[in-house]
Amino acid sequence: MEITPFLILSAGLISIGLYGIMSKKNLLKLLISLDIMDVGVNLLIVTVGYLPGGTAPIMDGDYGKYVDPLPQALVLTAIVIGVSVLALGMILTIRHYRRTGSLEMDEGGVFGW
Amino acid sequence: MVVHPTLLIVLPLVGAFSVSLIRRYGGGAIKLYGSAYLFLNLIISAVLFMEVRSGGEVTERIAGYSPPVGIFLAVGAVNAVLVLLINLFAAFNYLTFNPKDKEPFHRFTVLYLLGVASSSGIVLTGDLFNMFVFFEIAAVSSYALVASSKDERSVGSAIKYMILGSVGSTFMLISIALIYSELRTLNLYDIAHRIGEMGGAVRTAAFTFLIVGIGVEAEIFPFNGWVPGVYGRSDGNISSFLVLGPSKAAIYAILRVLITLFYGSSSRAVMMDIAMVLGLITLVVGEVAALSEKDPKRMLAFSSIGQMGLILIAISLGSAAGIVAAVFLMVSHASVKSALFLSSDVYRQGGMRYTLTGALSVGAVLGLVGMPPFAGFWGKWYLLSGAADEGLWIVIAAVIFTTAVEAYYLARFLSRGLSMKKRGGVKPTRVITMTVMVGVSLLVGLFASVIYEMVSAGVTTLLSGGI
Amino acid sequence: MRRAVSALLALLIFAYLFGVLLKAPIPGDYRDERYNYYSPLSGREANESVPDHYVERGEEETGSQNIVTSIVVLYRGFDTLGEVTVLFTAATGVAFLLSTQRSKGEKEKKKEPNFMASTGVGLVLPFILLVGAYIFVHGHLTPGGGFPGGAVIATGFVLMLVAYPRFQLREKKVSVVEAFSGLAFAVIGLISLIMGLTFLENYLPKGVAGTLLSAGIIPLIYIAIGFKVGSELSAIVSHMKGGEE
């Protein structure tokens, strides 16, 4: 299987997420951008572990060729961490909204002091 | 092996998992329970420190598999000092929290214990991905702690911190994926041993993404936009926790990346130069911004950025003197800057006039500027001598210039604080904690040879690719 | 202006990252000699790579048929303890931040449950819980394990929250489940230390790979993770909906 589309996709998702983070001020859009980046990186990690012609690393029967199992374990961890950060981000957004009545970020965006 | 370093991470986790079971006994009981774990951790880290001091490095495998197949913890001289430092100050800092301010206190205790455990984890682990996981625990607990401050605007700062921190951790993951694709390993020492096999472009990219990713947490210049807001709006004792815990762990992670991970690579000199330039910019920008800042907490925040830049410069010297300087600077920053953050809450209430807090703040300021006999003096001393050895006059000039700036704005900070006529109460726990912090800085300065001998013995193995 | 600069920067990062990825050896065959690892403790070069070790020796060393599971629970079990802890940190943070600031005047009217929804959920719920339990009990045999299993169980509770507007998760009970499942994971690891092994090392018989009662402590840890993940995800959702403290 040709691997380049997956590399384009993961690099693309990461940079789309970065674009969102740099250009948006709406907190929900920022959280969505973070999630898009996360998906891109997870895709990259899985792609790194791909082995042409390999099967899932479950030793049931003799297939002889398995994909690299370690990235799959890493991605599991990365997904759970992404969910956790997103959950906390949602709560912070809710509290921010209750206090200010707005979903805009204060202090002039992400990169200012 | 007398103690298992794993316990430093697992015991606070046990405490955090179980603290909700005793919540019906009230805040006092919870505080006692949390402190018990923290002080137990302090004892363990002290034993570990003595062990490393007498017998060199300590390693511990997890799940019985030898690295790089399994994960392992690697404790050398530098991280033994650091883990003792983090656990010592974290335990005393916990005492300053009043259960009534942080309702429900059992949840707060969970977040605090996890923050301590993960900072120790970042420092102890010998595995890149494991380090990333601990970074995330530290980050998530810090976001929540910051947002729980009295100043309601801290939520906005926490959001900013969270977004920058998440971008940073995504960059760390990209770097991990790149390194893994080339070497198929995640162990720091295995990567360091085979770093030469990596392709040049991929190695540079991995280095860049890793430094940016950790740099967000380590307050390195263009990635530190969250710092003034977070330190400026958080409660003083939460800022002091961030200073002594996660940010020290992050700057140590940078040391691991620069000294262990990429030390053997052929483009090492360029990487060190980049780090040096970043450190210089961070130092100068931070200190100058602190000079023009009126708000005491924000001023301390900018000053903190400057100090982190100083530590980064020391690390990027790449020599034995540089690493020794970095250790002293970390001790100094974690102790006296945390003490100043603790005093910053009573700054406006006049709590510094004719009180022990005021006296301790004077000591802390002296320590921060680098007066003998405080630890900060030795930090700057070894840094200057290390820079002189390599003929880096720009570093010497920058350090002397920023020290003057630092002395000026800290004197202004003190004179305003000491002249406030109002009378405000200071909690005795804060005074005790500040005494411990300033006292440690003083003791480390007075008995500098103990740390110096231990670290410089460890640095030799560190620089030759060992633990 | 802001958008144009961001777009330009994002494009540059895309070009750089994609260029680097093209140079990286993806996909690489991990059985290749160039990936052979170096062991920092013994200081020797091995004649296998790390993933190769997992694939070739994993089943024999851990007794688990699913190699990803053996990595998640044993080889890199410390990561997984951290991963569970990240989720726990987030769940605690959510509860902590919502309870310190109760919303004022935001009381939503509790509606009566919709008949279709409540009947449907009543029919489906037992099966959801059963599937969730099945997934985490069979983690060492089939794809899945504690995390997906726990997430499936949490969807059951989310359905309850959706179908019955008055349904509330008993916060105290959930936190007891949370506490004991987390403690179970840590204590299973600490028992190895007490027995003189290293943290999280297997001390139970490995059994015959491919049967339910095999792989030593892996199923036990996955059951603990399943309960922990299930209770934490449910607690997060329930808190966001505005549950009791």
Side-chain angles (χ1 to χ4, degrees):
Chain A
M1 191 164 48
E2 181 57 36
I3 206 91
T4 322
F6 292 92
L7 298 182
I8 295 177
L9 198 58
S10 58
L13 285 170
I14 291 169
S15 29
I16 289 171
L18 270 175
Y19 167 75
I21 286 162
M22 288 186 285
S23 64
K24 302 293 175 197
K25 276 188 164 181
N26 183 300
L27 290 175
L28 290 178
K29 287 182 184 164
L30 284 170
L31 288 180
I32 292 169
S33 308
L34 278 183
D35 208 40
I36 293 176
M37 270 184 91
D38 239 26
V39 173
V41 177
N42 292 346
L43 181 63
L44 174 61
I45 298 177
V46 174
T47 313
V48 164
Y50 176 69
L51 178 65
T55 55
I58 293 175
M59 300 291 148
D60 191 13
D62 190 24
Y63 294 99
K65 210 173 178 190
Y66 302 96
V67 298
D68 188 344
L70 187 53
Q72 306 204 359
L74 300 187
V75 124
L76 187 61
T77 308
I79 290 172
V80 174
I81 288 174
V83 169
S84 313
V85 172
L86 209 60
L88 199 77
M90 289 306 292
I91 287 306
L92 291 174
T93 307
I94 291 174
R95 276 195 64 162
H96 183 77
Y97 179 72
R98 280 187 191 158
R99 188 177 73 82
T100 61
S102 128
L103 280 174
E104 296 280 299
M105 190 163 187
D106 57 0
E107 302 181 27
V110 180
F111 291 101
W113 268 353
Chain B
M1 191 159 56
V2 186
V3 287
H4 296 278
T6 334
L7 290 179
L8 286 172
I9 300 160
V10 178
L11 281 182
L13 291 191
V14 170
F17 290 151
S18 59
V19 73
S20 69
L21 298 175
I22 63 149
R23 65 170 151 180
R24 69 183 120 121
Y25 301 109
I30 293 169
K31 193 166 173 180
L32 199 66
Y33 190 71
S35 330
Y37 279 97
L38 288 167
F39 279 94
L40 190 60
N41 247 21
L42 170 57
I43 295 169
I44 295 172
S45 57
V47 175
L48 183 65
F49 175 83
M50 296 311 286
E51 204 180 322
V52 172
R53 198 167 106 80
S54 59
E57 70 222 30
V58 173
T59 55
E60 182 174 15
R61 295 173 300 155
I62 309 280
Y65 302 105
S66 61
V69 171
I71 294 173
F72 84 136
L73 303 182
V75 196
V78 179
N79 47 359
V81 175
L82 219 69
V83 84
L84 174 61
L85 189 75
I86 290 173
N87 281 294
L88 169 68
F89 292 149
F92 279 97
N93 196 49
Y94 179 70
L95 299 179
T96 64
F97 290 99
N98 183 355
K100 287 196 191 70
D101 293 344
K102 300 282 174 202
E103 288 288 347
F105 195 62
H106 66 99
R107 301 231 189 264
F108 174 82
T109 302
V110 168
L111 294 172
Y112 193 89
L113 285 172
L114 294 177
V116 177
S118 54
S119 304
S120 308
I122 296 170
V123 173
L124 294 176
T125 186
D127 188 280
L128 190 57
F129 192 78
N130 198 232
M131 190 190 266
F132 164 78
V133 172
F134 284 123
F135 256 112
E136 288 304 303
I137 304 176
V140 172
S141 64
S142 311
Y143 309 149
L145 287 176
V146 167
S148 77
S149 296
K150 279 197 198 94
D151 186 343
E152 292 248 306
R153 291 174 304 163
S154 64
V155 176
S157 310
I159 292 176
K160 189 167 174 174
Y161 185 14
M162 190 211 90
I163 288 166
L164 283 175
S166 308
V167 174
S169 57
T170 310
F171 276 29
M172 270 180 88
L173 266 185
I174 296 175
S175 169
I176 290 172
L178 289 175
I179 292 175
Y180 186 80
S181 76
E182 286 268 8
L183 299 178
R184 304 273 156 180
T185 184
L186 295 164
N187 186 286
L188 289 173
Y189 299 93
D190 187 12
I191 297 171
H193 189 76
R194 298 196 282 137
I195 195 83
E197 295 169 25
M198 277 182 87
V202 181
R203 188 178 52 208
T204 314
F207 173 79
T208 316
F209 281 114
L210 202 54
I211 285 291
V212 174
I214 303 176
V216 173
E217 287 286 328
E219 307 174 15
I220 304 306
F221 181 60
F223 328 113
N224 58 8
W226 57 273
V227 178
V230 165
Y231 287 156
R233 291 166 177 181
S234 300
D235 296 345
N237 40 9
I238 287 177
S239 298
S240 66
F241 172 66
L242 294 183
V243 166
L244 65 89
S247 86
K248 284 296 137 319
I251 196 80
Y252 175 74
I254 294 224
L255 190 150
R256 276 227 153 150
V257 169
L258 284 174
I259 302 295
T260 299
L261 207 55
F262 287 95
Y263 201 71
S265 84
S266 52
S267 49
R268 177 199 145 221
V270 184
M271 290 169 177
M272 288 304 214
D273 285 348
I274 294 173
M276 169 86 64
V277 171
L278 282 178
L280 276 171
I281 299 174
T282 310
L283 172 66
V284 174
V285 169
E287 298 289 7
V288 171
L291 183 64
S292 56
E293 184 60 55
K294 295 279 185 297
D295 182 75
K297 280 188 181 177
R298 280 177 72 88
M299 188 206 80
L300 291 175
F302 283 120
S303 156
S304 179
I305 293 177
Q307 297 278 318
M308 296 302 257
L310 203 61
I311 300 174
L312 181 58
I313 295 174
I315 295 169
S316 60
L317 284 177
S319 61
I323 295 170
V324 172
V327 172
F328 275 104
L329 287 170
M330 285 187 218
V331 173
S332 167
H333 187 233
S335 55
V336 291
K337 183 53 72 60
S338 308
L340 283 178
F341 271 119
L342 284 180
S343 79
S344 69
D345 275 343
V346 294
Y347 183 81
R348 290 202 188 288
Q349 299 149 21
M352 282 165 73
R353 191 177 166 88
Y354 301 129
T355 55
L356 196 52
T357 319
L360 288 167
S361 305
V362 174
V365 163
L366 291 178
L368 200 57
V369 175
M371 287 288 164
F374 287 94
F377 168 72
W378 296 106
K380 286 193 177 169
W381 175 261
Y382 289 121
L383 174 58
L384 290 177
S385 68
D389 286 344
E390 303 191 17
L392 290 162
W393 300 107
I394 183 162
V395 171
I396 296 176
V399 171
I400 291 173
F401 167 68
T402 53
T403 303
V405 173
E406 214 169 40
Y408 177 73
Y409 68 73
L410 286 172
R412 194 180 60 187
F413 167 81
L414 269 187
S415 67
R416 277 200 203 137
L418 293 173
S419 61
M420 299 255 182
K421 289 237 168 85
K422 276 186 285 180
R423 275 265 164 188
V426 183
K427 294 257 160 47
T429 47
R430 281 208 183 197
V431 179
I432 295 171
T433 307
M434 283 180 71
T435 315
V436 171
M437 285 168 173
V438 178
V440 165
S441 174
L442 192 63
L443 283 178
V444 170
L446 286 175
F447 301 98
S449 57
V450 178
I451 302 277
Y452 178 78
E453 275 158 25
M454 177 175 164
V455 173
S456 52
V459 163
T460 327
T461 47
L462 196 67
L463 289 177
S464 56
I467 295 157
Chain C
M1 186 57 202
R2 187 191 177 93
R3 279 192 188 181
V5 174
S6 314
L8 193 68
L9 272 174
L11 268 179
L12 281 177
I13 290 171
F14 173 78
Y16 180 59
L17 190 57
F18 182 58
V20 167
L21 288 179
L22 280 181
K23 284 199 184 117
I26 308 172
D29 190 337
Y30 58 82
R31 296 166 299 185
D32 202 287
E33 262 185 17
R34 59 178 293 227
Y35 297 124
N36 288 355
Y37 65 79
Y38 155 84
S39 173
L41 287 188
S42 62
R44 275 204 303 272
E45 311 256 358
N47 52 8
E48 56 178 0
S49 73
V50 176
D52 208 24
H53 181 100
Y54 296 146
V55 171
E56 295 298 326
R57 313 249 299 270
E59 189 177 0
E60 158 206 346
E61 280 185 358
T62 65
S64 161
Q65 209 173 36
N66 182 345
I67 299 301
V68 178
T69 295
S70 67
I71 296 173
V72 167
V73 180
L74 288 180
Y75 289 113
R76 304 190 64 86
F78 213 45
D79 276 351
T80 306
L81 182 60
E83 173 186 4
V84 172
T85 310
V86 177
L87 194 58
F88 176 62
T89 319
T92 309
V94 166
F96 180 52
L97 293 177
L98 276 187
S99 58
T100 48
Q101 194 203 31
R102 279 275 133 227
S103 57
K104 293 156 206 146
E106 223 181 272
K107 272 185 193 154
E108 53 177 318
K109 255 200 281 174
K110 302 279 181 187
K111 293 187 218 108
E112 284 300 311
N114 175 299
F115 174 73
M116 292 296 282
S118 56
T119 315
V121 169
L123 277 174
V124 174
L125 187 66
F127 292 103
I128 290 181
L129 298 185
L130 193 67
V131 169
Y134 178 87
I135 290 177
F136 65 66
V137 169
H138 287 76
H140 53 302
L141 303 176
T142 55
F147 290 95
V152 168
I153 286 183
T155 55
F157 286 105
V158 173
L159 269 184
M160 287 291 281
L161 289 171
V162 172
Y164 297 92
R166 290 200 185 128
F167 175 79
Q168 277 191 332
L169 229 48
R170 290 263 155 232
E171 221 271 338
K172 279 193 181 143
K173 283 185 187 156
V174 175
S175 72
V176 168
V177 175
E178 232 178 319
F180 277 109
S181 50
L183 278 177
F185 191 165
V187 167
I188 289 172
L190 286 173
I191 289 174
S192 332
L193 273 189
I194 294 167
M195 290 172 74
L197 305 168
T198 59
F199 185 73
L200 270 180
E201 190 166 345
N202 186 23
Y203 43 82
L204 293 178
K206 284 173 198 154
V208 182
T211 55
L212 186 58
L213 294 176
S214 65
I217 59 175
I218 291 182
L220 294 181
I221 290 180
Y222 252 173
I223 290 171
I225 293 177
F227 274 104
K228 188 141 181 77
V229 171
S231 58
E232 270 158 11
L233 287 178
S234 322
I236 290 178
V237 174
S238 145
H239 274 291
M240 286 197 175
K241 191 172 169 278
E244 50 158 7
E245 169 60 32

